[in-house]
Amino acid sequence: MPLPGIRVMNVMIAVTNGGFTDMLHDVADTFGWNPWLFLSQVISFAIVAFLLRRFAYKPILGVLEERRQRIAEGLLNAEKIKKQLAEAEQRHADILAKANAEAQKMIDEARESSAHLAERKQQEAIAAAEQIITKARESSAVVNSCREWARDRLMLIGTIVGNRSKNSVLCMYPLVSIDITKG
């Protein structure tokens, strides 16, 4: 077997001497290359490549392109949804702040109203108490005048009865006087 450097040199010599085609025939015979077989393989490859391109690659590429477009649309929709979510969260925060402000306003109004109501009820209670005290004083005055009247009557009765029997006045008068002084 000749060395690789010698082969290169043989190719160069053959090219210069015009024996290049002879050398190619020798190489083709060495490797078992048949030009008609090679040509039929090239034609078969071209037909298979054309059929694959027409019936396999184009539909696959079409599906891939459609998928790429759907992914792009999905990304656009995701961006829109993010914006809508941010807007919804902002509206939610605004509504919540407004509701809190209204609730605080209602609480303040309720406190103010309850303070006014408590003050009014206190004034009504004071007025009722004063009326009760006034009525109690009037009743007390009536009771006192009735006591005075009863005491006077009892003394009169005691004097009348005392003239009849001195012993019965002594027994009766202290009981009557005790009853009057208790009240």
Side-chain angles (χ1 to χ4, degrees):
M1 187 174 204
L3 296 172
I6 294 174
R7 271 195 173 232
V8 171
M9 203 158 117
N10 285 341
V11 169
M12 288 168 60
I13 292 172
V15 168
T16 55
N17 289 337
F20 184 69
T21 56
D22 290 337
M23 189 177 78
L24 284 176
H25 284 295
D26 289 342
V27 170
D29 288 340
T30 304
F31 288 109
W33 184 73
N34 183 349
W36 292 109
L37 181 64
F38 179 74
L39 183 63
S40 69
Q41 287 179 349
V42 167
I43 292 171
S44 296
F45 177 78
I47 291 170
V48 168
F50 172 75
L51 291 174
L52 284 175
R53 179 174 168 92
R54 177 155 178 115
F55 297 110
Y57 294 141
K58 279 189 179 180
I60 290 173
L61 291 175
V63 167
L64 290 175
E65 180 63 24
E66 181 182 326
R67 181 177 174 157
R68 186 191 63 77
Q69 288 176 356
R70 277 190 282 157
I71 289 171
E73 288 174 4
L75 291 174
L76 288 175
N77 286 339
E79 288 297 320
K80 287 179 185 176
I81 289 171
K82 282 182 184 178
K83 287 178 183 177
Q84 289 174 352
L85 179 62
E87 290 172 2
E89 286 177 350
Q90 182 63 38
R91 284 193 309 263
H92 178 264
D94 292 344
I95 290 170
L96 190 59
K98 185 178 179 182
N100 284 338
E102 287 179 13
Q104 187 62 42
K105 182 180 176 184
M106 291 173 73
I107 289 171
D108 293 341
E109 287 175 359
R111 284 185 182 152
E112 185 178 322
S113 176
S114 68
H116 289 302
L117 182 63
E119 184 179 332
R120 192 177 78 212
K121 289 296 182 181
Q122 184 179 13
Q123 289 173 355
E124 287 176 5
I126 290 171
E130 287 176 354
Q131 287 177 355
I132 291 171
I133 291 171
T134 304
K135 287 182 182 179
R137 285 183 183 152
E138 289 173 0
S139 296
S140 176
V142 169
V143 168
N144 284 337
S145 71
C146 287
R147 279 188 186 158
E148 293 281 325
W149 181 81
R151 188 178 303 141
D152 291 342
R153 298 291 174 230
L154 286 175
M155 287 173 98
L156 181 64
I157 292 171
T159 308
I160 294 171
V161 172
N163 290 336
R164 290 188 190 165
S165 156
K166 233 177 185 182
N167 288 338
S168 81
V169 172
L170 291 174
C171 291
M172 193 173 179
Y173 188 69
L175 291 176
V176 171
S177 67
I178 290 173
D179 287 341
I180 292 173
T181 56
K182 274 189 177 178

